[in-house]
Amino acid sequence: MNIRQLQLPLALALALGASSAQALGLGQIEVKSGLNQPLVAEIPILPAGPGELEELEVRLASPEAFARVGLEPPVGLAANLQMSVGRNAAGQPVIRVTTPNRFDEPFLTFLIEADWGRGSLVREFSALVDPPYIAPAVIRPMAPPAVATAPAYVPPV
């Protein structure tokens, strides 16, 4: 059997294998609320296969999952994060992370467990809830350095 006869079956096998290798992914968290407001954050869901979004279930990870990665389980309001799958203003699929009451912690770290039928993942997220105000830099043109001139030396006569 020569190479030319194997090209089409090999290409078909690779194409079929590649489609099943696609997996659901999660982007970077984006906090939409400020400190001392109910938390609202969105995590983009990266391209998923057909039907994966309909089957997607997300939740705060179990205490066992936190222990496996060496993190302390969240306490207080962070322990009651609510998660739902929806769409953002642009129509893109996202995981919405919210709290019913105002959130007064400036920094948030948590684990999400996501199951979608054909797979699951556990991922850590960290966010600065209310980033510090950073004043814009003031750019001034450089002035030439001032050079002092000494009076001319006149030797005594």
Side-chain angles (χ1 to χ4, degrees):
M1 190 175 252
N2 74 30
I3 297 283
R4 284 190 133 358
Q5 292 173 328
L6 290 176
Q7 282 180 338
L8 182 59
L10 183 59
L12 285 173
L14 288 174
L16 291 174
S19 66
S20 65
Q22 290 181 350
L24 181 108
L26 301 177
Q28 297 296 316
I29 189 169
E30 182 181 345
V31 177
K32 305 271 186 180
S33 58
L35 202 57
N36 294 317
Q37 297 176 344
L39 177 71
V40 177
E42 292 178 347
I43 301 168
I45 300 172
L46 303 178
E52 288 181 342
L53 286 177
E54 290 78 24
E55 297 176 17
L56 180 61
E57 294 179 16
V58 293
R59 65 192 157 279
L60 191 63
S62 67
E64 294 80 23
F66 276 90
R68 270 195 312 268
V69 297
L71 287 176
E72 291 292 321
V75 294
L77 199 53
N80 297 316
L81 294 175
Q82 299 170 350
M83 297 179 201
S84 60
V85 177
R87 297 206 175 261
N88 63 12
Q92 302 299 319
V94 294
I95 296 172
R96 193 162 288 113
V97 182
T98 59
T99 57
N101 300 321
R102 59 189 193 96
F103 196 81
D104 56 4
E105 296 291 324
F107 190 71
L108 174 65
T109 298
F110 62 96
L111 290 177
I112 283 184
E113 283 187 88
D115 294 312
W116 62 91
R118 286 184 249 160
S120 64
L121 65 84
V122 174
R123 179 156 170 211
E124 177 182 356
F125 287 92
S126 296
L128 192 57
V129 175
D130 202 11
Y133 174 75
I134 298 174
V138 177
I139 300 172
R140 296 183 188 145
M142 289 186 62
V147 178
T149 57
Y153 177 74
V154 179
V157 187

